[in-house]
Amino acid sequence: MRVSSVDIYRRTVDSLMAQQSTISDLQLKISAGKKIINSSDDPIGATQASNLRYEISKFNQFIKNADAAKNILEYEDSILDSVVNIYQRIRELAINAGNASLGRDDREAVATEMEERLLELQDLVNAKDANGDYLFSGYKSKVQTVIKAADGQYVFQGDEGNRNVALSNTTSLTILDSGKGVFFNIPTDTVIGTVTSGVATLTNTPSGLVNAGTLTPLASTDLRINDVLIPASELDGISTTDAASSAIAIARAINSKIADHGVHAIVNPNSVDLGAYTPASLVGSQFSINGIAVLDNIGTEDSLLSAINLLTSQTGVIATQPGGAGTAVILTAQDGRNIQLQTSGGATASFANFNLTGAALDEVARSTVTLRSHEAFNIQGAFPSHAGFTAGTYSPSTNAGSGLITKPAIIDNITNLNETYSIVFNNPPSTFSIVADSDPGTPLEGFSNVTYVPGQNIDFLGIRVVITGTPSAGDIFGLEVEAKATQDVFTTINTLITSIRNFGFEPIRYSYEIGQALNNISYAESRLIETRAEVGVRINIADSQKDFNDKLNVLTQSILSEVEDLDYTEAITKLTQNSFILQAAQQSFVKVQGLSIFNYLR
């Protein structure tokens, strides 16, 4: 193969240029301090370095987030610390206001300072951060947290969102709490009352005398009241037969869910009309009531009644003859238990409605249950007839008079929050009685036939109402009290201010209002303590996560350094070697370039 001088020249120049490029590349890397200038220098290393730089940028952002989170959390904690001071001062003022020796001017001074503290509290809850965002408004950070509406009520305008920041790929930290949970949804001892007009009642059908053991107990799907499923009835512990089917058992099952459906079930006395009696002596088991044999050797109507009534403590049943001699004998169980009647047959005596002379009998009668509510209620279920009811909606009666009742005020402790009450106007309506709806046949003590005075306070069992106008006979006003689930701290303080100003002349109510306020302030303080504890934990998390990210950042930068940082000793050595090689090659090329065969031919 022939190699021309041109080829030799070109190849030599290419080699020199490549060597020069290598030296330039080494010089550039030494200048930059990096061994990867272009991706082509080390494709795998370049990719790894890019990923590591991305991780470092994330760690730097997480560190900034941790610093920002700590700053805002410390700011929130300082706000909450100021709120704690306000709560403590309100508590001190409330205790001072409860001093019976204070006069009107003294109480007014206390109320005035409380108003100032309330305004201060509102300002703190409406605090903003450095960006002008409201701290406690949740995601609605541009909306003022709380305002006082025209009706005097305090309104939370934010939402329940809690703003978060990322401290790592898997850790998100809440930096601000919604004021809804901190200042508004606070547990309370406050009791509220409502009033209605009229009453809705429904009484189931009595069973009459039927064969013992044939009454159907209430199953768990048989009855719904206001869409609330009534549990299966259980043995009433008193009836001698069909004890799970008695009026007592049914009422207990219904009342076990009264907090959910709001309808009272009242057991009515159980009565059995035996009809006219054909007198004769009774011996052995010729006639038994609730498992107890009735023995009558005399064999008259009077002796029968006496014999039955002597056993009342055992049977729970009394016998009467309301129409007098020769009329029907009535058996009554006042507590509503089942009445079981048995006979072995063959007696000479007998009743028109229960034959003692024929074959043996074992029969039972179930009493009735009355449902009572001041609001419409609905009866449904798979078999409401098993409880003697018919499916449907039952509405309250309508008062005929012009009487009006105010919203109840709670003036003392309420002993039974599940009870409702009725104010019933008598005939004539110049008097009224107050009954508990669980026992509407018995007026409350001291509230039977009370003289009606329009506009006068009606105080009973810690409740106060006022009725005005002209009620008609039979008009009914219903009252219900219930525990309020939550209350905002602004309402607690505002209500306390009103009580201090207005109720100092009513010792019982005043003491109740002060006590309620102190309890509610304690709940608000507890919620604040919980929130501050959570804030403290978050500050610690921000610190620890920042330290962790710092360590990861240093470690990642170390790995990145290993991947892309230049080894100066190695690089300079290579540069020196390549420079020497280039210099030698250049010198050789100069000498070779001067060689020619013609020089030897001269």
Side-chain angles (χ1 to χ4, degrees):
M1 177 179 177
R2 188 176 65 178
V3 179
S4 68
S5 297
V6 173
D7 288 334
I8 294 173
Y9 181 82
R10 179 175 56 79
R11 290 177 182 178
T12 302
V13 170
D14 288 345
S15 176
L16 292 174
M17 292 300 294
Q19 195 67 30
Q20 182 64 52
S21 176
T22 299
I23 292 173
S24 297
D25 184 58
L26 285 170
Q27 289 174 334
L28 182 60
K29 290 177 179 179
I30 291 171
S31 175
K34 304 293 182 183
K35 61 184 176 183
I36 301 175
I37 301 299
N38 301 305
S39 297
S40 58
D41 294 339
D42 182 357
I44 295 176
T47 301
Q48 187 178 7
S50 177
N51 291 336
L52 290 170
R53 279 192 291 271
Y54 174 70
E55 290 298 318
I56 290 170
S57 69
K58 286 201 302 182
F59 291 140
N60 288 333
Q61 185 60 55
F62 291 149
I63 291 169
K64 290 179 181 178
N65 288 352
D67 286 334
K70 182 177 180 180
N71 290 337
I72 195 68
L73 286 168
E74 288 178 341
Y75 181 41
E76 179 184 358
D77 188 59
S78 69
I79 295 293
L80 297 180
D81 183 60
S82 298
V83 173
V84 167
N85 294 333
I86 291 176
Y87 286 176
Q88 290 175 346
R89 181 55 183 162
I90 292 291
R91 172 182 290 280
E92 293 171 359
L93 291 170
I95 293 173
N96 185 36
N99 189 335
S101 64
L102 292 185
R104 179 180 292 274
D105 291 342
D106 296 324
R107 291 195 297 271
E108 178 60 31
V110 170
T112 299
E113 182 177 347
M114 282 189 177
E115 283 182 328
E116 294 172 356
R117 297 293 182 177
L118 184 57
L119 290 173
E120 184 182 351
L121 174 62
Q122 187 174 351
D123 287 341
L124 288 171
V125 176
N126 285 327
K128 298 179 181 180
D129 62 17
N131 297 321
D133 294 335
Y134 288 96
L135 292 181
F136 299 107
S137 289
Y139 295 140
K140 295 182 177 180
S141 58
K142 299 300 182 183
V143 178
Q144 184 173 324
T145 306
V146 61
I147 62 169
K148 187 176 183 180
D151 62 358
Q153 299 296 311
Y154 287 85
V155 180
F156 177 73
Q157 298 192 119
D159 59 27
E160 298 185 50
N162 293 324
R163 281 174 271 173
N164 302 312
V165 295
L167 299 185
S168 73
N169 290 329
T170 58
T171 302
S172 179
L173 185 68
T174 298
I175 57 170
L176 285 173
D177 298 279
S178 169
K180 186 77 169 181
V182 181
F183 304 107
F184 277 78
N185 287 346
I186 300 174
T188 178
D189 284 340
T190 300
V191 176
I192 56 176
T194 56
V195 292
T196 56
S197 296
V199 64
T201 60
L202 174 65
T203 300
N204 64 354
T205 55
S207 68
L209 280 172
V210 297
N211 289 332
T214 62
L215 293 177
T216 305
L218 195 64
S220 59
T221 58
D222 284 350
L223 181 63
R224 286 180 178 271
I225 300 179
N226 290 338
D227 293 326
V228 176
L229 194 63
I230 304 303
S233 56
E234 300 178 356
L235 299 176
D236 65 18
I238 191 171
S239 296
T240 55
T241 185
D242 298 86
S245 308
S246 70
I248 296 173
I250 292 171
R252 284 178 182 171
I254 294 172
N255 287 331
S256 70
K257 294 292 183 179
I258 190 171
D260 299 322
H261 56 63
V263 179
H264 286 278
I266 301 106
V267 179
N268 298 311
N270 194 5
S271 293
V272 174
D273 183 352
L274 292 176
Y277 180 55
T278 302
S281 62
L282 292 171
V283 297
S285 57
Q286 290 178 337
F287 183 45
S288 297
I289 300 175
N290 287 343
I292 305 298
V294 177
L295 303 178
D296 178 17
N297 294 323
I298 299 175
T300 65
E301 288 182 334
D302 288 342
S303 63
L304 172 73
L305 296 180
S306 296
I308 294 174
N309 291 334
L310 284 173
L311 300 173
T312 298
S313 62
Q314 300 177 64
T315 64
V317 174
I318 61 173
T320 58
Q321 203 171 19
T327 62
V329 174
I330 307 297
L331 300 181
T332 302
Q334 290 292 341
D335 58 9
R337 73 180 71 188
N338 288 343
I339 296 179
Q340 182 183 16
L341 302 179
Q342 295 169 297
T343 179
S344 58
T348 303
S350 189
F351 298 98
N353 298 331
F354 189 73
N355 186 11
L356 304 179
T357 63
L361 295 174
D362 185 0
E363 297 183 344
V364 64
R366 179 178 67 193
S367 186
T368 58
V369 174
T370 297
L371 302 182
R372 182 182 179 93
S373 174
H374 291 287
E375 297 180 357
F377 60 86
N378 183 269
I379 298 293
Q380 292 295 334
F383 294 101
S385 58
H386 288 173
F389 295 111
T390 301
T393 299
Y394 300 88
S395 300
S397 58
T398 301
N399 286 349
S402 62
L404 298 174
I405 187 170
T406 61
K407 181 179 179 180
I410 309 303
I411 60 174
D412 203 354
N413 292 310
I414 304 296
T415 57
N416 186 359
L417 291 175
N418 286 326
E419 186 60 86
T420 61
Y421 303 92
S422 293
I423 299 177
V424 183
F425 278 83
N426 302 318
N427 188 11
S430 56
T431 64
F432 63 85
S433 299
I434 303 178
V435 299
D437 288 316
S438 61
D439 185 15
T442 306
L444 299 180
E445 185 177 355
F447 292 95
S448 176
N449 299 319
V450 179
T451 300
Y452 170 58
V453 179
Q456 187 176 73
N457 289 341
I458 301 173
D459 296 349
F460 69 99
L461 301 181
I463 304 170
R464 171 177 292 170
V465 293
V466 176
I467 298 176
T468 57
T470 307
S472 296
D475 282 358
I476 296 175
F477 295 97
L479 297 93
E480 180 178 357
V481 292
E482 62 179 343
K484 194 175 179 181
T486 60
Q487 180 169 285
D488 63 272
V489 68
F490 300 96
T491 297
T492 291
I493 298 173
N494 199 43
T495 301
L496 175 59
I497 293 170
T498 301
S499 299
I500 290 172
R501 282 187 167 139
N502 298 331
F503 304 135
F505 61 92
E506 294 185 71
I508 294 177
R509 181 173 186 179
Y510 190 68
S511 176
Y512 170 77
E513 296 285 355
I514 295 292
Q516 285 288 96
L518 287 172
N519 288 342
N520 290 336
I521 290 170
S522 293
Y523 292 135
E525 286 179 320
S526 296
R527 176 61 57 82
L528 207 60
I529 290 170
E530 292 171 3
T531 304
R532 292 194 70 189
E534 292 173 1
V535 169
V537 169
R538 291 183 217 140
I539 291 174
N540 291 336
I541 291 173
D543 282 335
S544 62
Q545 195 64 47
K546 178 186 176 182
D547 291 341
F548 183 64
N549 285 327
D550 276 333
K551 292 176 181 178
L552 289 178
N553 198 15
V554 171
L555 177 61
T556 306
Q557 287 179 346
S558 175
I559 296 172
L560 177 62
S561 176
E562 292 178 3
V563 171
E564 67 174 7
D565 284 357
L566 186 68
D567 183 339
Y568 281 98
T569 301
E570 180 183 358
I572 292 173
T573 300
K574 286 184 178 180
L575 178 62
T576 302
Q577 290 175 346
N578 281 278
S579 297
F580 177 77
I581 292 170
L582 176 61
Q583 184 179 6
Q586 288 173 336
Q587 291 174 354
S588 298
F589 178 65
V590 170
K591 290 181 180 181
V592 172
Q593 187 181 25
L595 295 177
S596 172
I597 192 171
F598 296 105
N599 292 334
Y600 294 98
L601 295 176
R602 289 177 183 170

